Amino acid sequence: MIEKDNRLPLYYQLMDSIIEKIESGNLKEHDKLPSERELCEMHNVSRTTVRQAMQELEKEQFIYKQHGKGTFVSPKVINQSLVTFYSFTEEMKKINKIPTSKVLAFEKVDVDSKLAKTMEMIEGDSLFKITRLRFADDEPMMYEISYIPVQRFPDLKEDDLQKLPMYHLFRENYNVVITKANERFKAMMPTYEEAERLNIQQGEPSLLIERITYEDSSVIEYTVSIARGDKFTYSVELK
């Protein structure tokens, strides 16, 4: 409720009111907001106040505008902490989204010189190369290519990965205990194929994420992911 005698500016009170509706679930992702005129009438404030509130909400990514269509509630941006090991599946569940994966390709390849150095293997050894598209609530979020040693996971099948998350299979079928993972991040522009898979424009900024996962001193996974820049933020606690 907007209170004229409140010390807080009117636009700030309007922002708080809309944010509260979004966070409580009364306004859901992609719901259309009332027009500026309707908001003026609903809250008895000026159009200047409404426009200032909308500008701030858009800046903070609570809403987005579509020309000629109106203003809508933005989908949630996943804020991923880098303090501890995480998996895509578990992180999506934490924010009440349904994670799914689609295996686009599953093949056996030989280790080349670059992969041999990265995975601490010998050239000519065998790897599974797994290309996947990761979804949250049926919306594409990440395009991934993973390499894992055939010797450590000899019986792995494409059907297994279509049914269950990869880390679940590691743990339950192969008794893997992940001891650490190293990640490297880089801003990039997706290729035409990557953008098409992620349902974004080719020029939209994205994140290239390289992960090397260890079981004790052995590398058990090397994954290159393309994450949508409009869907993810990453944070780390400095002490």
Side-chain angles (χ1 to χ4, degrees):
M1 186 181 204
I2 306 296
E3 299 174 354
K4 297 292 178 70
D5 57 352
N6 193 310
R7 284 187 174 186
L8 288 173
L10 296 179
Y11 84 90
Y12 198 91
Q13 293 184 57
L14 179 56
M15 283 179 62
D16 272 353
S17 174
I18 293 172
I19 290 170
E20 191 278 327
K21 289 177 181 176
I22 292 172
E23 293 182 342
S24 67
N26 289 326
L27 282 173
K28 295 180 171 54
E29 294 182 10
H30 305 295
D31 276 358
K32 187 176 181 179
L33 271 65
S35 67
E36 286 186 2
R37 181 181 58 79
E38 290 170 329
L39 286 170
C40 290
E41 293 174 356
M42 289 165 60
H43 298 281
N44 191 27
V45 293
S46 69
R47 183 156 289 192
T48 301
T49 296
V50 171
R51 284 179 179 169
Q52 190 172 3
M54 294 297 104
Q55 287 170 1
E56 292 299 318
L57 287 168
E58 186 175 20
K59 189 186 301 181
E60 295 185 22
Q61 299 184 322
F62 283 103
I63 63 172
Y64 66 94
K65 294 178 181 178
Q66 286 190 344
H67 184 67
K69 294 184 177 180
T71 303
F72 302 83
V73 177
S74 296
K76 289 180 180 177
V77 175
I78 294 96
N79 182 24
Q80 176 60 60
S81 171
L82 300 179
V83 176
T84 59
F85 185 82
Y86 64 92
S87 76
F88 176 86
T89 299
E90 295 306 317
E91 293 306 308
M92 294 306 104
K93 288 179 179 178
K94 285 180 185 177
I95 59 171
N96 298 317
K97 288 183 176 291
I98 300 173
T100 53
S101 297
K102 181 180 181 182
V103 179
L104 304 176
F106 182 90
E107 54 191 318
K108 190 183 290 187
V109 299
D110 291 335
V111 175
D112 60 21
S113 57
K114 180 180 181 295
L115 287 171
K117 183 177 180 181
T118 300
M119 301 194 68
E120 301 170 6
M121 296 175 69
I122 300 171
E123 286 188 52
D125 283 349
S126 294
L127 290 169
F128 286 123
K129 179 183 178 182
I130 304 157
T131 306
R132 295 183 295 170
L133 195 57
R134 316 298 299 274
F135 297 84
D137 289 349
D138 295 325
E139 186 171 22
M141 306 289 278
M142 275 184 159
Y143 178 77
E144 289 187 348
I145 298 177
S146 299
Y147 299 91
I148 63 174
V150 171
Q151 185 176 1
R152 182 64 181 86
F153 306 98
D155 303 321
L156 187 66
K157 300 289 190 297
E158 180 177 348
D159 285 349
D160 298 332
L161 290 164
Q162 296 282 17
K163 296 172 185 174
L164 293 167
M166 188 162 68
Y167 288 154
H168 176 92
L169 293 169
F170 284 1
R171 184 176 63 252
E172 299 300 323
N173 293 12
Y174 298 95
N175 299 315
V176 166
V177 177
I178 293 171
T179 51
K180 70 173 183 177
N182 296 331
E183 286 193 333
R184 185 168 71 94
F185 296 78
K186 181 181 177 182
M188 53 86 73
M189 296 293 183
T191 64
Y192 175 80
E193 179 188 358
E194 291 161 352
E196 188 174 41
R197 293 288 190 187
L198 291 169
N199 195 28
I200 59 175
Q201 298 297 316
Q202 191 173 351
E204 289 190 36
S206 300
L207 281 172
L208 174 70
I209 307 167
E210 289 185 276
R211 173 184 281 195
I212 302 174
T213 306
Y214 292 83
E215 181 184 33
D216 295 324
S217 60
S218 300
V219 177
I220 58 166
E221 175 206 11
Y222 169 55
T223 292
V224 179
S225 304
I226 311 299
R228 287 178 54 165
D230 63 333
K231 296 296 183 184
F232 290 91
T233 63
Y234 291 84
S235 61
V236 60
E237 182 179 355
L238 302 177
K239 293 185 179 179

